[in-house]
Amino acid sequence: MATIFRPSTPPSLSQRLQLHRLKGLSPLLWLIIVNVAIFLGLRIVGIAGVFSGHDSWLTEASHWLSMPASLSALLHRPWTILTYMVTQVEVFHIIFNMLWLYWFATIFLEISSNRQLLWLYLWGGLGGALLYILSYNIFPGLRAEGSVLLGASAAIIAIVVATALRIPNYKLNLLFLGPVAVKWVALVTIVIDCISLTGDNTGGHIAHLGGALAGVVFVVAQRLQASRRRRHPRFIPGGRWVQGEPVQEAASTVKRASATHDDTATLDAILDKIKSSGYASLTPEERKRLFDVSNRIK
């Protein structure tokens, strides 16, 4: 018996536009959407459980997304090494994490690319997971049955630390404190995590420190890559040899090789100013120039 295949109905103009908008969302917005969507999903499960007489539904659902400290349990739930970093259960936890993610990722994106932000988020989450697992399986005082890790904090702290290392003098206007350099915000955050290791959330603070270390490693790796590029110039079609640009000076978003001679000279001056005085020292015109050219040639 012959089977007739009917072509699917082509998407309407509004559907195509909506798809285009979704594809155009930045990684930062996608990270926030995923975190919030999982939080809301868990909350809906919890509400359904309360009304149906199954109060444990929320705990059970979050259990399958949280990363266990036990290696044997992790082998049975390997996906949790990724899902834990986008899973929050408490209201204030998700609000605080998303605010920090938005604030520091926005600053980070002024000197880096969307791809670097996404990789740094994943790298920070993996760094937090690794230090958490190692600590709970090495130190006898931390071993506890059923210990799990969840939350985006480790990934976000990696972004905070990387931003502080890249542009340490960038000023944040904090409530009651006024302008504070981002390096001090990162330092205080790390100190608080260190002195809180004896509290009720030891595993969470260990993961935060793992994320901070991941942020340091990320920036150091970028600087080593930039150093290799400077030592080994590369050939550009057209008969020119150029030195590799320093990643830590926002060269990843400003490809000088494809810019005009005037753009290159201007960007060199701006990047030198960032290196010596920090991003906050740029005038509005210099920031606009950096943003416009990087968008045009990246």
Side-chain angles (χ1 to χ4, degrees):
M1 183 176 182
T3 302
I4 300 176
F5 293 93
R6 301 181 184 275
S8 59
T9 305
S12 64
L13 177 60
S14 61
Q15 290 174 327
R16 293 199 299 270
L17 289 174
Q18 186 66 24
L19 181 60
H20 177 74
R21 292 191 189 98
L22 290 175
K23 289 181 178 179
L25 295 179
S26 68
L28 171 57
L29 189 53
W30 273 117
L31 287 173
I32 294 175
I33 289 174
V34 171
N35 276 274
V36 173
I38 292 177
F39 168 79
L40 293 177
L42 289 174
R43 278 296 166 180
I44 291 172
V45 170
I47 293 171
V50 169
F51 282 94
S52 62
H54 299 85
D55 295 343
S56 63
W57 279 9
L58 176 59
T59 302
E60 293 172 358
S62 61
H63 172 79
W64 285 98
L65 297 175
S66 305
M67 190 189 71
S70 167
L71 291 175
S72 59
L74 182 61
L75 289 176
H76 288 89
R77 305 201 306 273
W79 62 85
T80 57
I81 200 168
L82 295 177
T83 58
Y84 98 88
M85 66 181 77
V86 289
T87 302
Q88 281 91 184
V89 176
E90 301 299 330
V91 174
F92 287 107
H93 195 193
I94 183 72
I95 292 175
F96 184 80
N97 276 349
M98 293 305 99
L99 286 175
W100 269 62
L101 174 59
Y102 178 78
W103 288 335
F104 283 93
T106 300
I107 299 171
F108 183 81
L109 286 174
E110 292 184 357
I111 56 170
S112 303
S113 66
N114 285 316
R115 178 182 295 181
Q116 286 179 326
L117 173 65
L118 181 58
W119 279 112
L120 179 56
Y121 185 96
L122 294 172
W123 182 247
L126 292 174
L130 179 60
L131 188 60
Y132 173 80
I133 292 173
L134 288 177
S135 299
Y136 270 75
N137 287 275
I138 291 177
F139 301 110
L142 296 179
R143 293 173 186 171
E145 289 296 327
S147 297
V148 295
L149 179 67
L150 75 163
S153 300
I156 295 169
I157 288 180
I159 298 173
V160 173
V161 171
T163 302
L165 291 175
R166 294 280 300 277
I167 44 176
N169 296 317
Y170 187 99
K171 295 295 192 300
L172 293 173
N173 288 313
L174 301 182
L175 187 64
F176 304 124
L177 296 177
V180 178
V182 68
K183 62 184 177 184
W184 299 121
V185 176
L187 180 60
V188 169
T189 302
I190 294 173
V191 170
I192 290 175
D193 281 317
C194 289
I195 63 179
S196 300
L197 289 173
T198 57
D200 297 332
N201 187 27
T202 301
H205 293 295
I206 290 174
H208 295 175
L209 295 175
L213 288 174
V216 173
V217 172
F218 185 87
V219 174
V220 170
Q222 285 187 322
R223 290 177 177 174
L224 290 175
Q225 184 182 22
S227 178
R228 287 196 299 269
R229 288 177 178 175
R230 284 194 295 268
R231 291 196 303 268
H232 303 287
R234 55 194 178 90
F235 185 75
I236 298 297
R240 292 192 299 126
W241 289 89
V242 297
Q243 297 289 343
E245 59 274 57
V247 175
Q248 71 272 20
E249 296 176 9
S252 60
T253 60
V254 183
K255 299 177 182 177
R256 303 174 190 166
S258 62
T260 65
H261 177 73
D262 291 339
D263 282 341
T264 303
T266 302
L267 292 173
D268 282 338
I270 294 176
L271 296 177
D272 288 339
K273 187 173 181 179
I274 293 175
K275 182 178 181 181
S276 61
S277 305
Y279 180 84
S281 65
L282 297 183
T283 64
E285 292 77 12
E286 290 170 331
R287 296 185 188 188
K288 186 176 185 302
R289 177 67 170 168
L290 180 62
F291 178 79
D292 291 342
V293 175
S294 63
N295 277 339
R296 175 165 55 84
I297 66 177
K298 68 182 178 179

